[in-house]
Amino acid sequence: MDKENKKQRKLIIQIPCLNEAESLPVSLAALPRKVEGFTTVEWMILDDGSTDETIAVALEHGVDHVVKASTHQGLAKMFMLGLDACVKLGADVIVNTDADNQYCADDIPVLVKPIIEKKANIVVGERPIEEIEHFSLVKKFLQRFGTFVVRQLSGTEVRDATSGFRAISREAAVQLNVFNEYTYTLETIIQAGHKGIALVSVPIRTNPDLRSSKLVKSISSYVRKSLVTILRIYLIYRPALTFSRLSILPFIAGTGLTARWLYYFFFYYDVTRSRVPSLVVGISLLIATIFLFIFGVIAELISTNRKMLEETLARIRRIEGNNDKTDT
């Protein structure tokens, strides 16, 4: 136990930024330099092609590392670039937070505790949604409903799926791969569930709103993009099941129409009413069912190849991270 306590542990707090020169000083002022369980705490900003003084402000306020994108990449891409950089810098745990100071930085020790105690590899901060005044009733409902859907798809007990306040262990970081370009929040949870990465939620506090969300331009746009993201993720991780479910409706409709035509043909044949259109539609739907089944088989084979590639990428990340950690 004494050796475990003396082990050198590094925590890196990463903050995705896009033109955050005004709000960043407030967020950085709240970040800790000491967290129980870690010998080193470092700060990193992920600059997504900012055109203001974000980087200069960050360095002025003591940020240790800057990952800069020459052009705007999007939140999801910057999140992954951050994880990769943190692993190479020898981070044992990575905390992701926002530049608008939405999350209470004093809760970082609470966030990382399950990882330190080896009870989880990903910890998601659960905001008090009902108490957040600037969240409309519609947004609160969508938060609850979206979390319910993600919980069902991922098989996890996450309680705030869209929360960006997260702690991620080194081992989890090397396994995560975000394909979606909109946001990382939903995909990483579903991916964790399908990969068997232990994930828990912990209650955290929030701060007063500094600015409006840059990710949520409008409720309708957010809902549409989130639904597309969930469907795309499910197609990636459960292709056979997804295509099987998609084939149910055309199979039932096609079978019904074809059976109807056969029934009338053999028992109530009428030369004046061929009912050929029903037969054509029914057969077309059955053909569509066959194609969906074939797509599912092909997608499942591709998914198997993707899993092998992800395992290879995870091994490469581990090797690169271990080498860099040894050098430092």
Side-chain angles (χ1 to χ4, degrees):
M1 182 63 70
D2 291 338
K3 289 183 179 179
E4 186 70 19
N5 290 334
K6 292 179 180 179
K7 180 182 177 182
Q8 298 291 309
R9 289 197 184 95
K10 180 186 288 189
L11 170 67
I12 297 183
I13 304 170
Q14 68 172 32
I15 308 177
C17 296
L18 175 61
N19 297 327
E20 299 287 1
E22 292 186 10
S23 62
L24 195 56
V26 179
S27 300
L28 293 176
L31 294 184
R33 277 298 185 182
K34 293 183 179 180
V35 175
E36 185 178 354
F38 297 93
T39 52
T40 306
V41 178
E42 297 176 355
W43 303 345
M44 172 188 290
I45 68 160
L46 313 173
D47 183 68
D48 193 11
S50 296
T51 55
D52 65 358
E53 299 299 315
T54 293
I55 293 179
V57 169
L59 295 174
E60 181 182 339
H61 287 79
V63 166
D64 303 284
H65 311 286
V66 175
V67 175
K68 177 176 174 55
S70 56
T71 58
H72 180 58
Q73 300 292 312
L75 180 60
K77 184 66 177 292
M78 295 308 299
F79 173 80
M80 284 306 303
L81 288 175
L83 292 190
D84 188 55
C86 288
V87 168
K88 290 181 178 179
L89 286 166
D92 295 286
V93 179
I94 302 149
V95 165
N96 186 84
T97 189
D98 284 357
D100 61 357
N101 199 41
Q102 174 187 174
Y103 308 107
C104 180
D106 290 339
D107 287 335
I108 288 178
V110 176
L111 199 68
V112 301
K113 186 177 180 181
I115 296 179
I116 294 174
E117 296 178 346
K118 298 183 179 180
K119 294 179 179 178
N121 281 308
I122 297 178
V123 184
V124 180
E126 178 193 0
R127 295 166 293 180
I129 300 295
E130 299 301 324
E131 301 174 14
I132 301 178
E133 296 181 357
H134 64 272
F135 276 17
S136 65
L137 290 176
V138 174
K139 189 170 183 179
K140 289 178 180 179
F141 168 77
L142 291 174
Q143 292 282 356
R144 292 194 298 270
F145 178 73
T147 296
F148 170 78
V149 172
V150 172
R151 195 161 52 235
Q152 300 306 307
L153 295 179
S154 65
T156 66
E157 295 300 321
V158 66
R159 296 192 294 268
D160 186 359
T162 58
S163 171
F165 195 38
R166 304 181 174 198
I168 303 163
S169 73
R170 181 183 185 84
E171 179 55 29
V174 300
Q175 294 184 61
L176 293 177
N177 294 286
V178 178
F179 303 102
N180 169 61
E181 296 181 358
Y182 180 56
T183 179
Y184 61 88
T185 55
L186 306 180
E187 184 170 356
T188 48
I189 293 173
I190 295 175
Q191 193 173 124
H194 287 287
K195 289 188 174 185
I197 301 173
L199 181 149
V200 299
S201 294
V202 295
I204 52 97
R205 294 165 292 176
T206 58
N207 297 314
D209 193 25
L210 282 181
R211 58 162 174 75
S212 59
S213 172
K214 293 184 178 181
L215 186 66
V216 183
K217 303 299 182 183
S218 68
I219 295 296
S220 59
S221 173
Y222 179 73
V223 170
R224 176 177 55 81
K225 290 181 178 180
S226 295
L227 288 175
V228 170
T229 297
I230 290 173
L231 178 60
R232 182 178 179 184
I233 294 169
Y234 213 55
L235 281 170
I236 292 173
Y237 295 102
R238 288 287 186 89
L241 181 61
T242 303
F243 280 104
S244 296
R245 288 179 174 176
L246 289 174
S247 68
I248 292 175
L249 186 58
F251 175 75
I252 293 173
T255 301
L257 288 171
T258 303
R260 175 181 178 274
W261 184 89
L262 291 171
Y263 174 78
Y264 279 107
F265 180 81
F266 286 108
F267 297 102
Y268 295 98
Y269 182 72
D270 184 353
V271 294
T272 62
R273 297 188 64 187
S274 64
R275 296 186 173 87
V276 171
S278 296
L279 178 62
V280 172
V281 173
I283 292 176
S284 298
L285 289 171
L286 290 176
I287 292 173
T289 300
I290 294 172
F291 273 109
L292 285 171
F293 177 77
I294 294 173
F295 290 157
V297 172
I298 295 173
E300 190 67 27
L301 293 174
I302 295 174
S303 178
T304 301
N305 186 57
R306 174 189 57 76
K307 291 176 183 177
M308 294 174 62
L309 291 174
E310 286 187 343
E311 289 175 4
T312 302
L313 180 58
R315 290 185 180 185
I316 293 173
R317 286 173 174 167
R318 290 189 189 100
I319 293 170
E320 290 180 342
N322 289 336
N323 288 342
D324 290 327
K325 192 167 186 178
T326 302
D327 293 339
T328 54

